[in-house]
Amino acid sequence: MQKNKSEKYNKILNSAGAVFAEYGFYKATISQIAAQAGVADGTLYLYFKNKDDILYQFISFKTIAVFKEMNAAVEKGGNAEEKLRHLIRCHLREFQNDKNMAIIFQSEVRYLRDIESQIKDISKMYLDLLSDIIEQGQIEGSMRQDLFVGLVKRYILGAVEGVISTWVSADGRYDLVSMADPLVDLYLTGVRG
Amino acid sequence: MQKNKSEKYNKILNSAGAVFAEYGFYKATISQIAAQAGVADGTLYLYFKNKDDILYQFISFKTIAVFKEMNAAVEKGGNAEEKLRHLIRCHLREFQNDKNMAIIFQSEVRYLRDIESQIKDISKMYLDLLSDIIEQGQIEGSMRQDLFVGLVKRYILGAVEGVISTWVSADGRYDLVSMADPLVDLYLTGVRG
DNA sequence: AATTTAAATGAATTATAATTCATTATCTAA
DNA sequence: TTAGATAATGAATTATAATTCATTTAAATT
């Protein structure tokens, strides 16, 4: 197994992403991934410990990249509402731009203990971002004082994920990012007439 | 394979639910399920076509039962808000009462084509229930006219699922049903101060 | 250009677990 | 009580696919 992230390493990782997304981790085979990457089966083992490791590396890599984007997005907003809009837009944009990642995050989360804790980490970081935003909103007076923050943040994340999940089911046939503002409006003002 | 749903059939199905929930469909083995049910491996094949069929039957059975409950719950409410509260309470109650089902619905959804379409069906039925409620709310004037119903219903379902998912991650250590009213309040009035 | 080193190959091996089925146990009814 | 029918067993078989590694190919070095 090599140390530096060569071109071939990335080729394999991307191919794996495509194959995992299409067939799911368990039904995907090493041979499929190798074929997709245009290398021999054995070659995968020069770059990765085993099949699990491929998924692990894939998720690690994507997690770090996405989270960096999200942090930057939040920074761009001044008040709580702006920050929330930037975060949700960024979330939808990143997932729209990488459907394989969206599918894999959605469905392969529970299989490897390592990954599970990784995902818990990113989920926690995300929820912490939301906590900060909500608390800022409460200080600014733009969000209610009586909110149960623990519930609100899960509710916000759940709803975004639901919207992404629907988009994936629809095979990514519509623009996901344009859902951001209507979604945030729902968070803010609810459905009541 | 037997026709009538004997006691043993149910024993195996429940055991499978427990094992699938703990290990995931792919890591779960026939031997584990058989051991859990207190029968020999071969016995499973007297009651089910194969491993896939066990998951399929499990989800079918649960889906029908839960959906029946949800329909009944909605019927109990008069106006849209009541119906929504009953639905969400029922949803949380049913999943809280059957954690294995909650885990399996959450994570095994994408593996069998048959199941996928089954799940799409129940998800569609659920979303239709929500559509009806929202439309009724708009007629009553208790919900805004300008709502994008397609988004709102996914948003509601996503948020409930998110809350359930968090509860599962926390190993079911708190009362899920008590989240229903705060959750509905968020749907209705949002977070704005 | 020859030699050494590194990378890649893919057929053979290994591991795992689903499924089968010959055998055994249990039940039913005459 | 026993013959026949039905149900259950679990070791042997089969299927699948991950992983290895002896061999080949390519790259680097002198």
Side-chain angles (χ1 to χ4, degrees):
Chain A
M1 190 163 49
Q2 305 199 326
K3 276 291 159 308
N4 65 324
K5 304 300 157 82
S6 70
E7 198 183 339
K8 201 156 278 187
Y9 172 92
N10 288 306
K11 188 79 203 298
I12 294 170
L13 211 54
N14 280 324
S15 304
V19 176
F20 288 157
E22 180 165 4
Y23 299 99
F25 178 72
Y26 279 98
K27 284 192 189 153
T29 70
I30 293 292
S31 296
Q32 285 177 306
I33 297 168
Q36 176 90 354
V39 299
D41 292 14
T43 304
L44 268 63
Y45 292 87
L46 303 174
Y47 295 88
F48 300 90
K49 257 208 316 288
N50 51 36
K51 190 181 172 189
D52 283 6
D53 187 45
I54 302 175
L55 179 56
Y56 179 84
Q57 300 275 339
F58 182 90
I59 293 189
S60 292
F61 178 74
K62 297 296 184 181
T63 298
I64 290 165
V66 166
F67 195 64
K68 204 173 136 194
E69 291 295 322
M70 286 179 175
N71 266 304
V74 170
E75 290 301 316
K76 287 210 190 82
N79 61 36
E81 179 174 331
E82 279 171 16
K83 284 183 177 174
L84 184 58
R85 284 191 196 278
H86 281 300
L87 175 60
I88 303 300
R89 277 192 211 116
C90 172
H91 190 157
L92 296 179
R93 190 189 330 113
E94 292 299 311
F95 279 63
Q96 169 157 277
N97 287 340
D98 194 341
K99 187 144 70 95
N100 291 338
M101 173 182 75
I103 293 171
I104 292 170
F105 270 53
Q106 215 193 0
S107 48
E108 308 301 345
V109 163
R110 84 187 296 274
Y111 283 110
L112 302 172
R113 284 258 165 275
D114 286 349
I115 285 182
E116 206 179 352
S117 70
Q118 252 184 311
I119 296 280
K120 271 193 187 140
D121 285 351
I122 192 180
S123 173
K124 189 176 179 319
M125 287 189 290
Y126 194 97
L127 292 173
D128 288 345
L129 274 182
L130 285 175
S131 289
D132 291 347
I133 294 173
I134 296 164
E135 277 162 29
Q136 183 182 338
Q138 289 179 318
I139 291 168
E140 289 169 8
S142 62
M143 292 180 188
R144 281 190 282 128
Q145 297 296 324
D146 66 334
L147 294 174
F148 177 9
V149 179
L151 179 63
V152 172
K153 63 193 190 183
R154 280 163 178 89
Y155 153 88
I156 291 177
L157 177 55
V160 197
E161 288 178 343
V163 168
I164 292 172
S165 165
T166 301
W167 174 80
V168 166
S169 297
D171 225 359
R173 267 193 291 271
Y174 53 88
D175 183 54
L176 187 54
V177 180
S178 66
M179 307 263 104
D181 282 309
L183 193 53
V184 173
D185 292 340
L186 282 174
Y187 293 144
L188 293 174
T189 59
V191 302
R192 189 162 267 159
Chain B
M1 188 162 51
Q2 305 197 325
K3 278 288 162 307
N4 65 325
K5 304 298 157 83
S6 69
E7 197 181 341
K8 200 156 279 189
Y9 172 93
N10 288 307
K11 189 79 204 298
I12 294 170
L13 211 54
N14 280 325
S15 304
V19 176
F20 288 157
E22 181 165 4
Y23 298 99
F25 178 72
Y26 279 99
K27 284 192 188 152
T29 69
I30 293 293
S31 296
Q32 285 177 306
I33 298 168
Q36 177 89 355
V39 300
D41 293 13
T43 305
L44 301 212
Y45 292 87
L46 302 175
Y47 294 89
F48 300 90
K49 254 208 318 287
N50 51 35
K51 191 181 170 188
D52 283 5
D53 187 46
I54 301 176
L55 179 57
Y56 179 84
Q57 300 276 340
F58 181 90
I59 293 189
S60 291
F61 178 73
K62 297 295 184 182
T63 297
I64 290 166
V66 166
F67 195 64
K68 204 173 136 195
E69 290 295 323
M70 286 179 175
N71 266 304
V74 170
E75 291 300 317
K76 286 210 190 82
N79 62 34
E81 179 174 333
E82 279 171 17
K83 284 183 176 173
L84 184 59
R85 284 189 196 279
H86 281 300
L87 175 60
I88 303 300
R89 276 191 212 120
C90 172
H91 190 157
L92 296 180
R93 191 189 330 113
E94 292 298 312
F95 279 64
Q96 169 156 279
N97 288 340
D98 194 341
K99 187 144 71 94
N100 291 338
M101 172 182 75
I103 292 170
I104 291 170
F105 269 53
Q106 216 194 359
S107 48
E108 306 302 344
V109 163
R110 85 186 295 277
Y111 284 109
L112 302 172
R113 284 257 165 277
D114 286 349
I115 284 182
E116 206 179 351
S117 69
Q118 252 185 310
I119 295 279
K120 272 195 187 136
D121 285 351
I122 192 181
S123 173
K124 188 175 180 321
M125 287 190 288
Y126 194 97
L127 292 173
D128 289 346
L129 274 183
L130 284 175
S131 289
D132 291 347
I133 293 173
I134 297 164
E135 277 162 29
Q136 183 182 339
Q138 288 178 319
I139 291 168
E140 288 170 9
S142 62
M143 292 179 186
R144 281 189 283 129
Q145 297 297 325
D146 66 335
L147 294 173
F148 177 8
V149 180
L151 178 64
V152 172
K153 61 194 191 183
R154 278 161 180 91
Y155 153 89
I156 292 177
L157 177 56
V160 198
E161 287 177 344
V163 168
I164 292 172
S165 165
T166 301
W167 174 80
V168 166
S169 297
D171 226 359
R173 268 193 291 271
Y174 53 88
D175 182 55
L176 188 54
V177 180
S178 66
M179 309 262 104
D181 283 311
L183 193 54
V184 173
D185 292 339
L186 283 174
Y187 293 143
L188 293 174
T189 60
V191 302
R192 189 163 265 159

